[in-house]
Amino acid sequence: MSFPDHDDDSDAHFAREMHDLLEPICLVNFFSDEPTAELEALGFTGYWDGYFAGRAAPLGLVSALVVDAAFYSFAEGEVARHIPAVWRTASPTASYEARSRGCARALRRILEADADPGADTDVDPDPDTDALQIVRVVELLTRCAVSAPVEGRVMYAALRSLPTPADQVTTLWHVANMLREHRGDGHNAVLVSEQIGGTEAHVLNALDQGIHPPHTFGRIHHLPQARLDEVMDGLRGRGIVDEDDRFTDFGRLLKARIEHRTDALAAAPYRALSALERNDLRTLLAPLAAMLEATGSR
């Protein structure tokens, strides 16, 4: 089986560029200490309680089944170990606010965007600092983040319903996260259309990163061996991986197709910008992303 070639799509290409440039901003949530500390201050114990409370919070008081559907990538039972129990510790509103505060604190520390790293105030737009750069980035990203259709995009729609933060650095993280979840909603739709489950998607991602054997990937290595064997057997049966658990030619083509379609579906927010504004955003984001990548967003 083969897939048709795709024409070069400038919108999809720009969406991929933005994903690569925005991901270091979003990753402070997962790799920096500040978000975890803020969530622990609410009473959450362990990383994963805070993760599920902070990320699922925009959905409100929904069941584990709803969160599992929206997140897509967790193995059966993983979400239910945390949802709805986390809401006995703190409300969704408090949880999201703690996550947002922590991510903004981490960004301030790494980017040194605020004269007082411990403050929770706005950036002083001094032309001699990087503040104007962040102001312009936030302006462009906010326009993108509030302009895309919400149909079929549960996580994105949930975030769209929240108020825009009052200060620039918190807004930078908030809108970057909105665009990340918008892309994630589209990615999940593509995976569903290709009949690739969440655990299977992790296997494909691991192989794409050069991780072998793929079941050693950190997001799935803890799963029961019987479950991992079932997933790998299914991928072999579909011709996606070979007997050595490496991509077949078909598997590589399928992975490329998934990524291309994800890029295409992620392009809608950026159509709010002109060609000159896109170039401006690309130019301004690059040094911010490089600084964050240099620290591992920690």
Side-chain angles (χ1 to χ4, degrees), residues 160-261:
R160 276 277 297 270
S161 71
L162 300 179
T164 301
D167 70 276
Q168 292 291 325
V169 176
T170 309
T171 302
L172 174 63
W173 177 78
H174 177 68
V175 294
N177 188 49
M178 285 176 66
L179 291 164
R180 187 178 197 264
E181 294 286 18
H182 175 277
R183 181 185 179 86
D185 286 336
H187 185 61
N188 291 346
V190 174
L191 293 173
V192 171
S193 73
E194 298 289 357
Q195 300 182 62
I196 298 293
T199 305
E200 293 172 321
H202 285 313
V203 172
L204 269 58
N205 188 35
L207 289 173
D208 195 49
Q209 294 181 53
I211 298 171
H212 191 268
H215 66 261
T216 62
F217 183 41
R219 288 294 302 272
I220 59 173
H221 77 279
H222 61 285
L223 297 180
Q225 188 61 48
R227 172 58 179 153
L228 293 172
D229 290 344
E230 178 186 16
V231 168
M232 297 310 302
D233 286 344
L235 292 173
R236 291 188 206 100
R238 295 175 60 186
I240 296 171
V241 302
D242 59 22
E243 292 303 313
D244 192 35
D245 291 341
R246 298 184 186 275
F247 272 133
T248 62
D249 289 343
F250 170 76
R252 290 188 183 281
L253 191 60
L254 174 62
K255 176 62 173 170
R257 175 183 172 91
I258 289 170
E259 295 305 314
H260 178 89
R261 292 178 66 194

Side-chain angles (χ1 to χ4, degrees), residues 25-36:
I25 297 172
C26 299
L27 290 182
V28 298
N29 178 68
F30 308 109
F31 297 135
S32 296
D33 292 334
E34 289 90 342
T36 300

Side-chain angles (χ1 to χ4, degrees), residues 1 33 47 56 91 113 149 164 254 277 281 284:
M1 178 179 179
D33 292 334
Y47 172 82
S91 69
T164 301
L254 174 62
E277 288 171 329
L281 180 57
L284 292 171

Side-chain angles (χ1 to χ4, degrees), residues 136 140 143 272-282:
R136 178 61 170 162
L140 295 172
R143 199 188 316 161
L273 303 181
S274 68
L276 287 176
E277 288 171 329
R278 288 188 183 193
N279 187 60
D280 196 15
L281 180 57
R282 181 192 294 116

Side-chain angles (χ1 to χ4, degrees), residues 40-198:
E40 287 178 345
L42 292 182
F44 293 114
T45 58
Y47 172 82
W48 287 107
D49 271 358
Y51 169 88
F52 280 103
R55 188 179 173 207
L59 297 171
L61 294 173
V62 296
S63 68
L65 194 62
V66 173
V67 175
D68 193 40
F71 287 10
Y72 194 80
S73 60
F74 286 90
E76 183 178 354
E78 288 188 314
V79 174
R81 287 201 289 271
H82 306 275
I83 302 289
V86 293
W87 307 133
R88 294 196 293 269
T89 300
S91 69
T93 298
S95 300
Y96 186 78
E97 289 176 351
R99 184 193 195 204
S100 183
R101 280 196 308 273
C103 290
R105 283 178 53 205
L107 286 175
R108 288 191 180 94
R109 171 178 54 80
I110 297 169
L111 300 175
E112 298 180 344
D114 200 336
D116 177 6
D120 197 30
T121 57
D122 204 353
V123 174
D124 179 17
D126 184 344
D128 294 327
T129 70
D130 291 332
L132 285 180
Q133 176 184 6
I134 292 177
V135 168
R136 178 61 170 162
V137 166
V138 168
E139 174 195 349
L140 295 172
L141 286 178
T142 300
R143 199 188 316 161
C144 296
V146 300
S147 67
V150 298
E151 290 84 357
R153 311 242 183 199
V154 174
M155 288 301 301
Y156 171 65
L159 287 167
R160 276 277 297 270
S161 71
L162 300 179
T164 301
D167 70 276
Q168 292 291 325
V169 176
T170 309
T171 302
L172 174 63
W173 177 78
H174 177 68
V175 294
N177 188 49
M178 285 176 66
L179 291 164
R180 187 178 197 264
E181 294 286 18
H182 175 277
R183 181 185 179 86
D185 286 336
H187 185 61
N188 291 346
V190 174
L191 293 173
V192 171
S193 73
E194 298 289 357
Q195 300 182 62
I196 298 293

